[in-house]
């Protein structure tokens, strides 16, 4: 399970020596109060660490290098309580390899109308101190997030919280390893991509393993461990008649548990943060991993079917961003449509691999044949998805860049029960409407595979894309197709120059 409390963001306040020690003492005191308040905010999941006020180019450079080296530091929050001549920041910002958030706030919320004097003005001057810092950041084309608002305001803290979650996911990708069992599904285009480019840009490595490596791990699983896991299944899910003790497919349930234990062991040994498989390459495995993949996704692993490593890495990032928030996330595929003009909807599912973290109620473990792959019937968890707001995110490789496409959706209950559908599923209304959302998605080249989340919002992914230098396209209530198509054209020109 992922715990964001182990991460830190550093609160760095800029000033200068011109003001004298008394003012600098007050600056430090105020900055500590802000850092403490942010640290205590329930909106911000990471530790906010106060760093001594910086007043020289050397101190700024040092804190930036220190942040680069600190393994748990996700980035910086910068704030200029007073004026901090910003040429002092150039060397530090040029060396900084972690994202930063520029908090444009003021210690005093209100102007003290009756008592305000020049001392107050000299201390509370982020209105121009932050502009000086902002200029240098823009002059350097520094990638950063600007948050404006009083530091005690809930909305300000919430925006900082969103950004820190994105920065945790970015740090989690650095040095991360993703395993691919087998290669891509034959002839599929969108799941391909440049793994070297991804490693250079995002910091994670994707490497292939033979299915025999996994089979070896599965074969080492003991019967006692299988007994324990089957008992856990029985305590956690409803179990179909045929899978219960004495049932016709009891051995298949035990095979599924054995695959889960072998896969889990393999991932822990890596250690890997996610994986892909493909139904076209399963020699030595009795069934396509179903319940195993479902449960591992719910624990925070990334997963992509048919060799889809980009979605596996993206789902991992989304699991990190959403850690501790209500709602889950899953690998997902846009499967089939309900095109009734009274309510056009998308039915999302996959052959097996949907995470029970999005389940509405207790999932049910069942077994059915899989119409492709030619293996024994796989065990899977069946459920409907919780209703409410959600999003689908897809990452594609356009050759000269990666693009992240996000569509906000509303999950709705099925119009009628689906008694014959043997997979977990979600039904949603895409925003702004069916016709616009789907046309925009297809013009943008969005994949049929997505990472689906009910825990995070599009704002998390926007921050994440910005700090990862990824193109970001949002399809939401404000999307208008003519404008969206212009954005695609303009981005094409921008990225040719960038
Ligand atoms: Mn698929």
């Amino acid at each position: 399970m992922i715990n964001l409390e182990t991460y830190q963001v550093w609160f760095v306040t800029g000033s200068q020596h011109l003001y004298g020690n008394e003012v600098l003492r007050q600056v430090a005191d105020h900055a500590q109060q802000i850092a403490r308040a942010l640290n205590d905010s329930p909106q911000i999941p990471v530790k906010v660490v106060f760093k001594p006020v910086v007043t020289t180019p050397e101190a700024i450079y040092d804190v930036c290098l220190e942040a680069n080296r600190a393994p748990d530091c996700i980035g910086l929050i910068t704030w200029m309580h007073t004026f901090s001549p910003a040429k002092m920041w150039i060397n530090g910002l040029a060396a900084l390899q972690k994202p930063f958030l520029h908090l444009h706030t003021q210690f005093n919320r209100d102007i003290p109308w009756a008592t305000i004097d020049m001392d107050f003005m000299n201390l509370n001057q982020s209105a121009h101190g932050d502009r000086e810092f902002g200029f240098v950041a823009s002059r350097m084309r520094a990638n950063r997030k600007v948050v404006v608002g009083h530091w005690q305001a809930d909305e300000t803290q919430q925006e900082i919280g969103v950004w820190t979650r994105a920065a945790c996911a970015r740090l989690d990708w650095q040095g991360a390893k993703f395993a691919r069992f087998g290669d891509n599904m034959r002839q599929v285009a969108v799941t391909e991509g440049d793994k070297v480019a991804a490693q250079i840009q995002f910091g994670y490595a994707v490497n292939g393993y033979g299915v025999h490596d996994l089979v070896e791990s599965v074969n080492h699983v003991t019967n006692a461990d299988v007994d324990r896991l089957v008992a856990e299944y029985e305590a956690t899910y409803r179990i179909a008649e045929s899978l219960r003790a004495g049932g016709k497919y009891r051995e298949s349930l035990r095979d599924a548990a054995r695959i889960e234990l072998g896969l889990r062991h393999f991932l822990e040994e890596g250690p890997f943060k996610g994986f892909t498989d493909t139904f076209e390459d399963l020699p030595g495995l009795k069934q396509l991993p179903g319940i195993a993949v479902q449960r591992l996704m719910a624990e925070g692993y990334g997963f992509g079917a048919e060799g889809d490593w980009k979605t596996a890495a993206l789902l991992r990032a989304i699991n990190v961003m959403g850690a501790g928030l209500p709602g889950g996330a899953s690998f997902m595929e846009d499967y089939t449509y309900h095109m009734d003009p009274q309510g056009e909807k998308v039915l999302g599912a996959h052959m097996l691999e949907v995470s029970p973290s999005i389940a509405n109620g207790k999932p049910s473990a069942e077994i059915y044949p899989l119409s492709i792959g030619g293996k024994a019937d796989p065990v899977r968890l069946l459920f409907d998805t919780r209703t409410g707001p959600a999003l689908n995110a897809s990452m594609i490789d356009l050759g000269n860049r990666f693009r992240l496409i996000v569509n906000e959706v509303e999950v709705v209950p099925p119009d009628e029960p689906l008694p014959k559908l043997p997979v977990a599923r979600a039904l949603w209304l895409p925003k702004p409407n069916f016709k616009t959302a789907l046309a925009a998605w297809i013009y943008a080249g969005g994949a049929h595979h997505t990472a689906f989340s009910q825990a995070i919002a599009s704002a998390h992914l926007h921050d994440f894309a910005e700090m990862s230098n990824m193109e970001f396209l949002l399809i939401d209530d404000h999307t208008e197709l003519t404008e969206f198509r212009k954005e695609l054209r303009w981005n094409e020109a921008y990225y040719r120059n960038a």
Side-chain angles (χ1 to χ4, degrees), residues 295-310:
R295 285 164 48 84
L296 287 162
M297 276 194 277
E299 285 173 33
Y301 286 100
F303 171 75
E306 292 106 42
D308 188 349
W309 54 272
K310 294 192 299 300

PDB file of all heavy atoms in Angstrom, residues 295-310:
ATOM      1  N   ARG A 295      -6.590  -7.850  -7.881  1.00  0.00           N
ATOM      2  CA  ARG A 295      -6.224  -7.567  -6.487  1.00  0.00           C
ATOM      3  C   ARG A 295      -4.909  -6.774  -6.395  1.00  0.00           C
ATOM      4  O   ARG A 295      -4.757  -5.906  -5.530  1.00  0.00           O
ATOM      5  CB  ARG A 295      -6.116  -8.886  -5.703  1.00  0.00           C
ATOM      6  CG  ARG A 295      -7.490  -9.479  -5.383  1.00  0.00           C
ATOM      7  CD  ARG A 295      -7.413 -10.933  -4.962  1.00  0.00           C
ATOM      8  NE  ARG A 295      -6.395 -11.185  -3.964  1.00  0.00           N
ATOM      9  CZ  ARG A 295      -6.571 -11.019  -2.642  1.00  0.00           C
ATOM     10  NH1 ARG A 295      -7.739 -10.617  -2.176  1.00  0.00           N
ATOM     11  NH2 ARG A 295      -5.583 -11.276  -1.813  1.00  0.00           N
ATOM     12  N   LEU A 296      -3.979  -7.038  -7.294  1.00  0.00           N
ATOM     13  CA  LEU A 296      -2.710  -6.300  -7.253  1.00  0.00           C
ATOM     14  C   LEU A 296      -2.919  -4.830  -7.625  1.00  0.00           C
ATOM     15  O   LEU A 296      -2.308  -3.934  -7.035  1.00  0.00           O
ATOM     16  CB  LEU A 296      -1.686  -6.970  -8.167  1.00  0.00           C
ATOM     17  CG  LEU A 296      -1.141  -8.302  -7.620  1.00  0.00           C
ATOM     18  CD1 LEU A 296      -0.497  -9.127  -8.729  1.00  0.00           C
ATOM     19  CD2 LEU A 296      -0.164  -8.078  -6.471  1.00  0.00           C
ATOM     20  N   MET A 297      -3.798  -4.578  -8.586  1.00  0.00           N
ATOM     21  CA  MET A 297      -4.114  -3.178  -8.923  1.00  0.00           C
ATOM     22  C   MET A 297      -4.701  -2.466  -7.701  1.00  0.00           C
ATOM     23  O   MET A 297      -4.372  -1.309  -7.435  1.00  0.00           O
ATOM     24  CB  MET A 297      -5.156  -3.128 -10.047  1.00  0.00           C
ATOM     25  CG  MET A 297      -4.606  -3.246 -11.424  1.00  0.00           C
ATOM     26  SD  MET A 297      -5.868  -2.766 -12.647  1.00  0.00           S
ATOM     27  CE  MET A 297      -6.794  -4.270 -12.813  1.00  0.00           C
ATOM     28  N   ALA A 298      -5.563  -3.159  -6.984  1.00  0.00           N
ATOM     29  CA  ALA A 298      -6.220  -2.534  -5.819  1.00  0.00           C
ATOM     30  C   ALA A 298      -5.210  -2.216  -4.719  1.00  0.00           C
ATOM     31  O   ALA A 298      -5.446  -1.353  -3.879  1.00  0.00           O
ATOM     32  CB  ALA A 298      -7.323  -3.450  -5.282  1.00  0.00           C
ATOM     33  N   GLU A 299      -4.067  -2.898  -4.743  1.00  0.00           N
ATOM     34  CA  GLU A 299      -3.022  -2.614  -3.753  1.00  0.00           C
ATOM     35  C   GLU A 299      -2.079  -1.515  -4.193  1.00  0.00           C
ATOM     36  O   GLU A 299      -1.161  -1.154  -3.462  1.00  0.00           O
ATOM     37  CB  GLU A 299      -2.210  -3.884  -3.479  1.00  0.00           C
ATOM     38  CG  GLU A 299      -2.970  -4.870  -2.626  1.00  0.00           C
ATOM     39  CD  GLU A 299      -2.230  -6.179  -2.509  1.00  0.00           C
ATOM     40  OE1 GLU A 299      -0.982  -6.180  -2.506  1.00  0.00           O
ATOM     41  OE2 GLU A 299      -2.920  -7.213  -2.426  1.00  0.00           O
ATOM     42  N   GLY A 300      -2.266  -1.012  -5.416  1.00  0.00           N
ATOM     43  CA  GLY A 300      -1.442   0.107  -5.846  1.00  0.00           C
ATOM     44  C   GLY A 300      -0.535  -0.175  -7.026  1.00  0.00           C
ATOM     45  O   GLY A 300       0.112   0.740  -7.548  1.00  0.00           O
ATOM     46  N   TYR A 301      -0.457  -1.422  -7.459  1.00  0.00           N
ATOM     47  CA  TYR A 301       0.366  -1.720  -8.633  1.00  0.00           C
ATOM     48  C   TYR A 301      -0.284  -1.152  -9.888  1.00  0.00           C
ATOM     49  O   TYR A 301      -1.504  -1.058  -9.989  1.00  0.00           O
ATOM     50  CB  TYR A 301       0.526  -3.245  -8.809  1.00  0.00           C
ATOM     51  CG  TYR A 301       1.470  -3.875  -7.819  1.00  0.00           C
ATOM     52  CD1 TYR A 301       0.993  -4.535  -6.695  1.00  0.00           C
ATOM     53  CD2 TYR A 301       2.847  -3.809  -8.012  1.00  0.00           C
ATOM     54  CE1 TYR A 301       1.859  -5.121  -5.780  1.00  0.00           C
ATOM     55  CE2 TYR A 301       3.718  -4.398  -7.107  1.00  0.00           C
ATOM     56  CZ  TYR A 301       3.222  -5.054  -5.991  1.00  0.00           C
ATOM     57  OH  TYR A 301       4.077  -5.629  -5.087  1.00  0.00           O
ATOM     58  N   GLY A 302       0.552  -0.798 -10.861  1.00  0.00           N
ATOM     59  CA  GLY A 302       0.046  -0.420 -12.166  1.00  0.00           C
ATOM     60  C   GLY A 302      -0.115  -1.661 -13.014  1.00  0.00           C
ATOM     61  O   GLY A 302       0.606  -2.648 -12.842  1.00  0.00           O
ATOM     62  N   PHE A 303      -1.046  -1.628 -13.949  1.00  0.00           N
ATOM     63  CA  PHE A 303      -1.237  -2.773 -14.838  1.00  0.00           C
ATOM     64  C   PHE A 303      -1.746  -2.303 -16.195  1.00  0.00           C
ATOM     65  O   PHE A 303      -2.565  -1.382 -16.282  1.00  0.00           O
ATOM     66  CB  PHE A 303      -2.258  -3.769 -14.257  1.00  0.00           C
ATOM     67  CG  PHE A 303      -2.644  -4.840 -15.241  1.00  0.00           C
ATOM     68  CD1 PHE A 303      -1.771  -5.882 -15.540  1.00  0.00           C
ATOM     69  CD2 PHE A 303      -3.855  -4.771 -15.928  1.00  0.00           C
ATOM     70  CE1 PHE A 303      -2.103  -6.842 -16.494  1.00  0.00           C
ATOM     71  CE2 PHE A 303      -4.195  -5.736 -16.880  1.00  0.00           C
ATOM     72  CZ  PHE A 303      -3.318  -6.777 -17.149  1.00  0.00           C
ATOM     73  N   GLY A 304      -1.264  -2.936 -17.244  1.00  0.00           N
ATOM     74  CA  GLY A 304      -1.814  -2.742 -18.579  1.00  0.00           C
ATOM     75  C   GLY A 304      -1.886  -4.085 -19.267  1.00  0.00           C
ATOM     76  O   GLY A 304      -0.929  -4.865 -19.218  1.00  0.00           O
ATOM     77  N   ALA A 305      -3.014  -4.376 -19.884  1.00  0.00           N
ATOM     78  CA  ALA A 305      -3.180  -5.641 -20.591  1.00  0.00           C
ATOM     79  C   ALA A 305      -2.557  -5.532 -21.976  1.00  0.00           C
ATOM     80  O   ALA A 305      -2.266  -4.430 -22.463  1.00  0.00           O
ATOM     81  CB  ALA A 305      -4.661  -5.983 -20.711  1.00  0.00           C
ATOM     82  N   GLU A 306      -2.349  -6.657 -22.605  1.00  0.00           N
ATOM     83  CA  GLU A 306      -1.844  -6.721 -23.987  1.00  0.00           C
ATOM     84  C   GLU A 306      -0.545  -5.948 -24.183  1.00  0.00           C
ATOM     85  O   GLU A 306      -0.334  -5.317 -25.219  1.00  0.00           O
ATOM     86  CB  GLU A 306      -2.935  -6.237 -24.959  1.00  0.00           C
ATOM     87  CG  GLU A 306      -4.127  -7.168 -25.037  1.00  0.00           C
ATOM     88  CD  GLU A 306      -5.350  -6.620 -24.319  1.00  0.00           C
ATOM     89  OE1 GLU A 306      -5.625  -5.426 -24.436  1.00  0.00           O
ATOM     90  OE2 GLU A 306      -6.021  -7.415 -23.638  1.00  0.00           O
ATOM     91  N   GLY A 307       0.281  -5.954 -23.150  1.00  0.00           N
ATOM     92  CA  GLY A 307       1.596  -5.304 -23.260  1.00  0.00           C
ATOM     93  C   GLY A 307       1.574  -3.805 -23.084  1.00  0.00           C
ATOM     94  O   GLY A 307       2.571  -3.130 -23.355  1.00  0.00           O
ATOM     95  N   ASP A 308       0.475  -3.260 -22.629  1.00  0.00           N
ATOM     96  CA  ASP A 308       0.297  -1.803 -22.570  1.00  0.00           C
ATOM     97  C   ASP A 308       1.043  -1.194 -21.374  1.00  0.00           C
ATOM     98  O   ASP A 308       0.469  -0.921 -20.322  1.00  0.00           O
ATOM     99  CB  ASP A 308      -1.197  -1.480 -22.495  1.00  0.00           C
ATOM    100  CG  ASP A 308      -1.483   0.001 -22.624  1.00  0.00           C
ATOM    101  OD1 ASP A 308      -0.533   0.804 -22.570  1.00  0.00           O
ATOM    102  OD2 ASP A 308      -2.655   0.352 -22.763  1.00  0.00           O
ATOM    103  N   TRP A 309       2.337  -0.947 -21.593  1.00  0.00           N
ATOM    104  CA  TRP A 309       3.195  -0.452 -20.494  1.00  0.00           C
ATOM    105  C   TRP A 309       2.896   1.004 -20.146  1.00  0.00           C
ATOM    106  O   TRP A 309       3.075   1.420 -19.001  1.00  0.00           O
ATOM    107  CB  TRP A 309       4.668  -0.631 -20.836  1.00  0.00           C
ATOM    108  CG  TRP A 309       5.082  -0.023 -22.135  1.00  0.00           C
ATOM    109  CD1 TRP A 309       5.033  -0.615 -23.358  1.00  0.00           C
ATOM    110  CD2 TRP A 309       5.590   1.303 -22.356  1.00  0.00           C
ATOM    111  NE1 TRP A 309       5.490   0.261 -24.319  1.00  0.00           N
ATOM    112  CE2 TRP A 309       5.838   1.436 -23.750  1.00  0.00           C
ATOM    113  CE3 TRP A 309       5.881   2.375 -21.511  1.00  0.00           C
ATOM    114  CZ2 TRP A 309       6.346   2.614 -24.304  1.00  0.00           C
ATOM    115  CZ3 TRP A 309       6.394   3.547 -22.068  1.00  0.00           C
ATOM    116  CH2 TRP A 309       6.612   3.661 -23.439  1.00  0.00           C
ATOM    117  N   LYS A 310       2.434   1.804 -21.109  1.00  0.00           N
ATOM    118  CA  LYS A 310       2.144   3.217 -20.803  1.00  0.00           C
ATOM    119  C   LYS A 310       0.967   3.323 -19.842  1.00  0.00           C
ATOM    120  O   LYS A 310       0.986   4.124 -18.914  1.00  0.00           O
ATOM    121  CB  LYS A 310       1.852   3.994 -22.098  1.00  0.00           C
ATOM    122  CG  LYS A 310       3.054   4.100 -23.033  1.00  0.00           C
ATOM    123  CD  LYS A 310       2.839   5.108 -24.142  1.00  0.00           C
ATOM    124  CE  LYS A 310       1.683   4.789 -25.058  1.00  0.00           C
ATOM    125  NZ  LYS A 310       1.798   3.484 -25.766  1.00  0.00           N
TER     126      LYS A 310
END
